[in-house]
């Protein structure tokens, strides 16, 4: 057995995808591993994690970290991944010497937040209504977040245009008049008429997804959380590739797919038209292929060519 510590950096989605490696990393070590990361809640309560250290407050030369038999760090964004062919999880596997398979899936342990979610639904007076989640913008870190700050995305090329997004919200409210559309973006991001904001911490959203009828969003944290909860969604792709960040149980769409989804090719991420997916097409795919259709365990797979 060895005490192995892994430094995992990046955003929430990137850290969450690393959790797909934990079963194999813990098996290789012969015991649970340690994690150093800016997003501790991604790894909290995971039985394969012995200890998780907050990279924002604990230095890497902390005595407890230095007790490790091995300290590992990898950065897939500075590896063969940038060629555009490999999924991020596959790249992580190659960098850490573990075998990749498409059935690897992330894990987050958030059952302790169930009562808190129920309380929020009751306080918001929507506890008796079905919910549909949306996330049309992102790219902000919750670390040190100040709602008074102007919204600045780390990658606005992923954001769906508010005009199209509002059309989708309007359609959802007309089709499902007894439902509530819940927008899980942060407080300073675009809001939509007919949707209520849920600005709770990101682990809260995992439990909220479990109660939803599905979601519509972009390449941001919600689509990754949905791989944990087996929730289906429509994901609209802009300047990132679903083949590198996506999941097979979602309906992944971009402009050049027209009204199709999950077409597997090397998308040109520099093409600004990618995000211009017709709102009607997104809406139709959601109601016909996603709404209230829970994915099975075998459906949750890393994006790959069939």
């Amino acid at each position: 057995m060895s005490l192995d510590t892994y430094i995992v950096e990046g955003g929430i989605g990137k850290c969450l995808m690393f959790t797909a490696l934990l079963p194999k990393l813990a098996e290789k070590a012969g015991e649970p591993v340690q994690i150093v990361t800016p997003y501790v809640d991604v790894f909290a309560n995971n039985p394969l994690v012995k200890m998780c250290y907050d990279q924002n407050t604990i230095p890497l030369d902390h005595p407890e970290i230095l007790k490790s038999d091995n300290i590992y760090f990898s950065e897939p964004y500075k590896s063969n991944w940038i060629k555009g062919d490999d999924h991020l999880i596959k790249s992580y596997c190659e960098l850490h010497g573990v075998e990749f398979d498409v059935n690897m899936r992330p894990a987050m342990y958030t059952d302790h937040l169930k009562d808190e979610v129920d309380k929020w639904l009751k306080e918001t007076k929507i506890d008796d209504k079905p919910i549909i989640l949306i996330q049309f913008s992102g790219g902000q870190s919750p670390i040190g977040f100040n709602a008074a700050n102007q919204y600045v995305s780390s990658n606005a090329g992923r954001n769906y245009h508010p005009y199209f997004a509002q059309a989708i919200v309007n359609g959802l409210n007309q089709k499902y008049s007894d439902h509530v559309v819940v927008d899980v973006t942060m407080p300073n991001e675009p809001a939509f008429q007919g949707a209520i904001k849920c600005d709770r911490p990101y682990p809260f959203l995992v439990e909220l997804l479990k109660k939803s009828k599905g979601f519509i969003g972009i390449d941001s944290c919600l689509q990754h959380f949905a791989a944990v909860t087996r929730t289906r969604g429509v994901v609209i792709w802009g300047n990132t590739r679903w083949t590198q960040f996506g999941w097979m149980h979602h309906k992944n769409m971009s402009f050049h797919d027209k009204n199709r989804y999950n077409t597997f090719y090397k998308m040109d991420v520099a093409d600004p038209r990618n995000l211009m997916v017709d709102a009607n097409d997104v809406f139709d795919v959601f109601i016909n292929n996603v709404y209230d259709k829970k994915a099975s365990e075998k459906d949750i797979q890393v994006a790959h060519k069939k």
Side-chain angles (χ1 to χ4, degrees):
M1 294 194 301
S2 62
L3 179 58
D4 291 348
T5 296
Y6 291 86
I7 301 168
V8 186
E9 298 181 340
I12 296 170
K14 186 181 175 191
C15 291
L16 181 59
M17 282 199 274
F18 186 87
T19 65
L21 278 71
L22 289 177
K24 296 185 178 184
L25 295 178
E27 181 182 11
K28 186 168 70 170
E31 64 176 348
V33 301
Q34 296 192 142
I35 300 291
V36 181
T37 182
Y39 292 104
V40 172
D41 285 335
V42 169
F43 300 90
N45 304 307
N46 192 312
L48 300 176
V49 176
K50 180 177 182 179
M51 181 64 71
C52 188
Y53 298 97
D54 184 355
Q55 190 179 40
N56 300 300
T57 58
I58 298 175
L60 290 177
D61 61 355
H62 189 281
E64 292 301 314
I65 297 176
L66 295 180
K67 287 181 182 178
S68 306
D69 295 308
N70 303 290
I71 299 175
Y72 298 103
F73 172 74
S74 68
E75 179 45 86
Y77 292 169
K78 297 179 180 179
S79 73
N80 284 334
W81 180 88
I82 63 175
K83 295 179 180 180
D85 299 313
D86 292 337
H87 195 278
L88 185 64
I89 292 177
K90 181 179 180 181
S91 182
Y92 263 135
C93 287
E94 291 179 352
L95 292 170
H96 287 288
V98 299
E99 185 178 357
F100 167 76
D101 71 75
V102 297
N103 297 304
M104 297 174 74
R105 56 181 291 193
M108 272 184 73
Y109 293 82
T110 57
D111 288 350
H112 61 288
L113 295 173
K114 182 180 181 301
D115 290 343
E116 188 176 333
V117 170
D118 290 340
K119 180 181 178 182
W120 179 82
L121 291 170
K122 187 173 183 178
E123 290 175 347
T124 316
K125 298 180 180 179
I126 59 172
D127 56 311
D128 60 342
K129 299 179 183 296
I131 60 173
I132 298 169
L133 305 189
I134 59 170
Q135 184 186 28
F136 293 120
S137 59
Q140 289 189 112
S141 172
I143 299 171
F145 174 74
N146 185 340
N149 290 342
Q150 182 178 354
Y151 170 48
V152 178
S153 173
S154 63
N155 184 359
R158 296 181 299 179
N159 293 355
Y160 195 49
H161 196 286
Y163 179 85
F164 296 142
Q166 184 64 66
I168 291 173
V169 173
N170 293 345
L172 291 173
N173 282 318
Q174 291 171 10
K175 175 72 175 177
Y176 305 109
S177 58
D178 60 336
H179 289 43
V180 175
V181 179
V182 180
D183 180 355
V184 301
T185 59
M186 298 177 79
N188 64 344
E189 296 182 26
F192 302 99
Q193 185 176 0
I196 66 169
K197 280 268 192 176
C198 176
D199 59 350
R200 304 305 296 269
Y202 68 88
F204 185 97
L205 304 182
V206 178
E207 286 301 305
L208 195 62
L209 261 174
K210 294 177 183 179
K211 295 180 176 292
S212 76
K213 298 294 185 180
F215 77 93
I216 303 174
I218 60 167
D219 176 23
S220 197
C221 64
L222 197 63
Q223 68 120 356
H224 297 299
F225 293 157
V228 175
T229 63
R230 295 190 292 113
T231 307
R232 295 187 187 273
V234 179
V235 186
I236 306 157
W237 294 83
N239 66 356
T240 55
R241 298 183 178 97
W242 86 272
T243 54
Q244 293 194 281
F245 292 103
W247 301 93
M248 297 296 287
H249 69 295
H250 296 327
K251 305 306 178 187
N252 299 283
M253 305 182 71
S254 65
F255 171 80
H256 296 287
D257 302 327
K258 302 309 178 185
N259 62 346
R260 296 173 297 157
Y261 49 81
N262 290 16
T263 53
F264 198 94
Y265 64 98
K266 192 172 181 178
M267 191 172 75
D268 181 0
V269 295
D271 190 334
R273 295 171 294 177
N274 291 338
L275 276 168
M276 305 295 285
V277 183
D278 190 293
N280 291 322
D281 290 343
V282 174
F283 178 74
D284 289 344
V285 169
F286 178 81
I287 63 173
N288 293 320
N289 299 280
V290 170
Y291 176 81
D292 204 21
K293 292 180 171 65
K294 198 79 169 178
S296 67
E297 294 284 346
K298 66 179 182 180
D299 291 329
I300 312 299
Q301 292 184 328
V302 169
H304 64 281
K305 188 172 184 177
K306 288 190 173 181

